[in-house]
Amino acid sequence: CSSDLNVDIYGPVNLGNSALDLTLNAAGIAGHMSDNQMASLTAKNFVLKNSLGASYVASSTATGSALNVNATNIQLVGGSTATNTVIGGFDQVNLNAGAEVTVSGVGTTTVNASQTTVTSSRISAATAADYTLTASGKMTTAMAASPATLAVANGLGAKLKLAAADLTLGGTVELPSGQITAQATTGDVLVATGAQIKAISVPVAFE
């Protein structure tokens, strides 16, 4: 699905299934909801990117509204130069990956919501990624209820910035030989019990 503007969601939409590969190539996702309505996007592999340089058109936020993105893998994709995507118009945004949330390229995804929750077995990055995931309100990262068994993370030298008004880091964030920046713009950065935040150097064999 491609758009020169947003992908707009009107009301309690339930789109997709667990066997679907769903790519949204647009400025972002804009909710047009009534109070307490919930929309869901379901896929095997969910990709959000903006390779067309689309411009986001903001929408108002309805109290208690929510967006659930449910997938095995969620990919936030930047470009060779900085690209931006936005998720807005929802009071709560839940990015639920049974396996992995991965960032790649150079870019920023901004979530305009009171509460953003990123649940996965691991947050990781492609080699040399330089990506920011930022939330206007609170953001929490957490481990999936039934963590998947994953191959060793192999994206080297990536940079990932997680920023929110209040930020709670849980689950696993792993960037081999990378850099992880956590920022709370108005409140606190908290590290939850059992969280694994890894950016250790790893050996590379040259042949």
Side-chain angles (χ1 to χ4, degrees):
C1 176
S2 296
S3 172
D4 291 332
L5 296 172
N6 310 334
V7 172
D8 293 295
I9 295 178
Y10 291 86
V13 171
N14 191 344
L15 174 67
N17 61 69
S18 59
L20 177 71
D21 287 340
L22 178 60
T23 297
L24 302 184
N25 189 2
I29 303 170
H32 303 267
M33 314 292 285
S34 297
D35 289 354
N36 301 314
Q37 288 185 328
M38 181 173 63
S40 296
L41 301 177
T42 302
K44 179 179 181 182
N45 296 299
F46 176 86
V47 178
L48 179 62
K49 63 180 183 178
N50 185 11
S51 65
L52 302 175
S55 298
Y56 186 78
V57 179
S59 57
S60 59
T61 299
T63 302
S65 61
L67 172 66
N68 296 321
V69 178
N70 303 310
T72 302
N73 296 292
I74 295 175
Q75 300 174 52
L76 304 176
V77 178
S80 56
T81 58
T83 64
N84 298 291
T85 53
V86 180
I87 301 174
F90 304 94
D91 199 21
Q92 300 177 45
V93 172
N94 303 305
L95 304 179
N96 303 314
E100 203 161 21
V101 173
T102 306
V103 299
S104 62
V106 181
T108 298
T109 295
T110 300
V111 183
N112 293 322
S114 298
Q115 174 66 52
T116 300
T117 303
V118 182
T119 303
S120 66
S121 298
R122 181 173 68 200
I123 297 173
S124 66
T127 293
D130 187 352
Y131 210 92
T132 298
L133 175 60
T134 183
S136 61
K138 297 179 180 180
M139 180 161 62
T140 300
T141 67
M143 180 61 72
S146 300
T149 301
L150 302 174
V152 174
N154 58 8
L156 301 178
K159 297 178 182 179
L160 173 63
K161 181 177 180 179
L162 300 172
D166 286 279
L167 179 60
T168 299
L169 295 176
T172 296
V173 183
E174 187 171 5
L175 273 67
S177 298
Q179 178 179 315
I180 301 168
T181 301
Q183 179 184 23
T185 56
T186 60
D188 298 319
V189 174
L190 302 176
V191 179
T193 301
Q196 298 186 60
I197 313 300
K198 305 176 182 178
I200 60 174
S201 297
V202 296
V204 178
F206 293 93
E207 297 181 358

